Coordinates of all heavy atoms in Angstrom, one line a residue:
L16 N -3.5 10.2 14.2 CA -2.7 11.3 13.9 C -3.2 12.7 14.4 O -2.5 13.5 15.0 CB -2.5 11.5 12.4 CG -1.7 10.3 11.7 CD1 -1.8 10.4 10.2 CD2 -0.2 10.4 12.2
V17 N -4.5 12.9 14.2 CA -5.1 14.2 14.7 C -5.0 14.2 16.3 O -4.6 15.2 16.9 CB -6.5 14.3 14.3 CG1 -7.2 15.5 14.9 CG2 -6.6 14.4 12.7
G18 N -5.6 13.1 16.9 CA -5.6 13.0 18.4 C -4.2 13.1 19.0 O -3.9 13.8 20.0
G19 N -3.2 12.3 18.4 CA -1.9 12.3 18.9 C -1.2 13.7 18.8 O -0.5 14.1 19.6
S20 N -1.5 14.4 17.7 CA -0.9 15.7 17.5 C -1.5 16.7 18.5 O -0.7 17.5 19.1 CB -1.3 16.3 16.1 OG -0.7 15.4 15.1
L21 N -2.8 16.7 18.8 CA -3.4 17.6 19.8 C -2.7 17.3 21.2 O -2.3 18.3 21.9 CB -4.9 17.4 19.8 CG -5.7 17.8 18.6 CD1 -7.2 17.4 18.8 CD2 -5.5 19.2 18.3
I22 N -2.7 16.1 21.5 CA -2.2 15.7 22.8 C -0.7 16.1 23.0 O -0.2 16.5 24.0 CB -2.5 14.3 23.1 CG1 -4.0 14.0 23.2 CG2 -1.9 13.9 24.5 CD1 -4.4 12.6 23.1
A23 N 0.1 15.8 21.9 CA 1.5 16.1 21.9 C 1.8 17.6 22.1 O 2.7 18.0 22.8 CB 2.1 15.6 20.6
V24 N 1.0 18.4 21.5 CA 1.1 19.9 21.6 C 0.9 20.3 23.1 O 1.6 21.1 23.6 CB 0.2 20.6 20.7 CG1 0.2 22.1 21.0 CG2 0.7 20.4 19.2
L25 N -0.2 19.7 23.7 CA -0.5 20.0 25.1 C 0.7 19.6 26.0 O 1.1 20.4 26.8 CB -1.8 19.3 25.5 CG -3.1 19.7 24.8 CD1 -4.2 18.9 25.3 CD2 -3.3 21.2 24.9
C26 N 1.1 18.3 25.8 CA 2.2 17.8 26.7 C 3.5 18.7 26.5 O 4.2 19.0 27.5 CB 2.5 16.4 26.4 SG 1.2 15.2 26.8
S27 N 3.8 19.0 25.3 CA 5.1 19.7 25.0 C 5.0 21.1 25.5 O 6.0 21.6 26.1 CB 5.3 19.7 23.5 OG 5.3 18.4 23.0
T28 N 3.8 21.8 25.4 CA 3.7 23.1 25.9 C 3.7 23.2 27.4 O 4.5 24.0 28.0 CB 2.4 23.7 25.4 OG1 2.3 23.7 24.0 CG2 2.3 25.2 25.8
L29 N 3.0 22.3 28.1 CA 3.0 22.3 29.5 C 4.3 21.9 30.1 O 4.8 22.2 31.2 CB 1.9 21.4 30.0 CG 0.4 22.0 29.9 CD1 -0.6 20.9 30.3 CD2 0.2 23.2 30.7
G30 N 5.0 21.0 29.3 CA 6.3 20.4 29.7 C 7.4 21.6 30.0 O 8.2 21.5 30.8
I31 N 7.3 22.6 29.2 CA 8.2 23.7 29.3 C 8.1 24.3 30.7 O 9.1 24.5 31.4 CB 8.0 24.8 28.3 CG1 8.4 24.3 26.9 CG2 8.7 26.1 28.6 CD1 9.8 24.1 26.7
F32 N 6.8 24.6 31.2 CA 6.6 25.2 32.5 C 7.0 24.2 33.6 O 7.6 24.6 34.6 CB 5.1 25.6 32.6 CG 4.7 26.6 31.7 CD1 4.0 26.3 30.5 CD2 5.0 28.0 32.0 CE1 3.5 27.3 29.7 CE2 4.5 29.0 31.1 CZ 3.8 28.6 29.9
L33 N 6.7 22.9 33.4 CA 7.0 21.9 34.4 C 8.5 21.7 34.6 O 9.0 21.6 35.7 CB 6.3 20.6 34.1 CG 4.7 20.7 34.1 CD1 4.2 19.4 33.6 CD2 4.2 21.0 35.5
V34 N 9.2 21.6 33.4 CA 10.6 21.4 33.5 C 11.4 22.5 34.1 O 12.2 22.3 35.0 CB 11.2 21.1 32.1 CG1 12.7 21.2 32.1 CG2 10.7 19.7 31.6
L35 N 11.0 23.7 33.8 CA 11.7 24.9 34.3 C 11.3 25.1 35.8 O 12.1 25.7 36.6 CB 11.3 26.2 33.6 CG 11.9 26.2 32.2 CD1 11.3 27.4 31.4 CD2 13.4 26.3 32.2
R36 N 10.1 24.6 36.2 CA 9.7 24.7 37.6 C 10.3 23.5 38.5 O 10.1 23.4 39.6 CB 8.2 24.6 37.7 CG 7.5 25.9 37.3 CD 7.6 27.0 38.3 NE 7.2 26.7 39.6 CZ 5.9 26.8 40.0 NH1 5.0 27.2 39.2 NH2 5.6 26.5 41.3
R37 N 11.1 22.6 37.8 CA 11.5 21.4 38.4 C 10.4 20.6 39.0 O 10.5 20.0 40.1 CB 12.6 21.7 39.5 CG 13.9 22.2 38.9 CD 14.9 22.6 40.0 NE 16.2 22.9 39.5 CZ 16.5 24.2 39.2 NH1 15.6 25.1 39.3 NH2 17.7 24.5 38.6
F38 N 9.3 20.5 38.3 CA 8.1 19.9 38.7 C 7.6 18.8 37.7 O 6.5 18.4 37.6 CB 7.0 20.9 38.8 CG 6.0 20.7 40.0 CD1 6.5 20.3 41.2 CD2 4.7 20.8 39.8 CE1 5.7 20.0 42.3 CE2 3.8 20.6 40.9 CZ 4.3 20.2 42.1
S39 N 8.6 18.4 36.8 CA 8.3 17.6 35.7 C 7.8 16.1 36.1 O 7.0 15.5 35.4 CB 9.4 17.4 34.8 OG 10.6 17.0 35.4
L40 N 8.2 15.7 37.3 CA 7.8 14.4 37.7 C 6.4 14.3 38.1 O 5.8 13.2 38.4 CB 8.7 13.9 38.8 CG 10.1 13.4 38.4 CD1 10.9 12.9 39.5 CD2 10.1 12.3 37.3
I41 N 5.6 15.4 38.1 CA 4.2 15.4 38.5 C 3.5 14.6 37.4 O 2.5 14.0 37.8 CB 3.6 16.8 38.6 CG1 2.2 16.7 39.2 CG2 3.6 17.5 37.3 CD1 1.6 18.1 39.5
G42 N 4.0 14.6 36.2 CA 3.3 13.8 35.1 C 3.4 12.3 35.5 O 2.4 11.6 35.3
D43 N 4.6 11.9 36.0 CA 4.7 10.4 36.4 C 3.8 10.1 37.5 O 3.2 9.0 37.6 CB 6.2 10.2 36.7 CG 6.5 8.7 36.8 OD1 6.3 8.0 35.9 OD2 7.0 8.3 37.9
G44 N 3.7 11.0 38.5 CA 2.9 10.8 39.7 C 1.4 10.7 39.3 O 0.7 9.8 39.7
L45 N 1.0 11.6 38.5 CA -0.4 11.6 38.1 C -0.7 10.4 37.1 O -1.9 10.0 37.1 CB -0.8 12.9 37.4 CG -0.8 14.2 38.3 CD1 -1.1 15.5 37.5 CD2 -1.8 14.0 39.4
A46 N 0.3 10.0 36.4 CA 0.1 8.8 35.6 C -0.2 7.6 36.4 O -1.0 6.8 36.1 CB 1.3 8.6 34.7
H47 N 0.5 7.5 37.6 CA 0.2 6.4 38.5 C -1.2 6.4 39.1 O -1.9 5.5 39.2 CB 1.2 6.3 39.6 CG 2.5 5.9 39.1 ND1 3.7 6.1 39.9 CD2 3.0 5.4 37.9 CE1 4.7 5.7 39.2 NE2 4.3 5.2 38.1
V48 N -1.7 7.7 39.3 CA -3.1 7.9 39.7 C -4.0 7.5 38.7 O -5.1 6.9 38.9 CB -3.3 9.3 40.2 CG1 -4.7 9.6 40.6 CG2 -2.4 9.7 41.4
T49 N -3.7 7.8 37.4 CA -4.5 7.5 36.3 C -4.6 5.9 36.2 O -5.7 5.4 35.9 CB -3.9 8.0 35.0 OG1 -3.7 9.4 35.1 CG2 -4.7 7.7 33.8
F50 N -3.5 5.2 36.5 CA -3.6 3.8 36.5 C -4.7 3.3 37.6 O -5.5 2.4 37.3 CB -2.2 3.2 36.8 CG -2.3 1.7 37.1 CD1 -2.4 0.7 36.2 CD2 -2.1 1.3 38.5 CE1 -2.4 -0.6 36.4 CE2 -2.1 0.0 38.8 CZ -2.3 -1.0 37.8
G51 N -4.6 3.9 38.7 CA -5.6 3.6 39.8 C -7.0 3.9 39.4 O -8.0 3.1 39.6
S52 N -7.2 5.0 38.7 CA -8.6 5.4 38.2 C -9.1 4.5 37.1 O -10.3 4.1 37.0 CB -8.6 6.9 37.8 OG -7.8 7.1 36.6
V53 N -8.2 4.1 36.2 CA -8.6 3.2 35.1 C -9.0 1.8 35.7 O -9.9 1.2 35.3 CB -7.5 3.0 34.1 CG1 -7.8 1.9 33.2 CG2 -7.3 4.3 33.3
A54 N -8.2 1.4 36.7 CA -8.4 0.1 37.3 C -9.8 0.2 38.1 O -10.6 -0.8 38.0 CB -7.3 -0.3 38.3
L55 N -10.1 1.3 38.7 CA -11.4 1.5 39.4 C -12.5 1.5 38.4 O -13.6 0.8 38.6 CB -11.4 2.9 40.1 CG -12.7 3.3 40.8 CD1 -13.1 2.2 41.8 CD2 -12.6 4.7 41.4
A56 N -12.3 2.1 37.2 CA -13.4 2.1 36.2 C -13.6 0.7 35.6 O -14.8 0.4 35.4 CB -13.0 3.1 35.0

Side-chain angles (χ1 to χ4, degrees):
L16 290 172
V17 174
S20 299
L21 294 176
I22 296 166
V24 170
L25 295 182
C26 289
S27 306
T28 303
L29 289 172
I31 292 290
F32 297 101
L33 296 174
V34 167
L35 292 176
R36 290 286 304 274
R37 294 179 173 85
F38 215 45
S39 54
L40 285 181
I41 191 173
D43 192 56
L45 292 177
H47 290 164
V48 176
T49 305
F50 169 75
S52 65
V53 168
L55 175 62

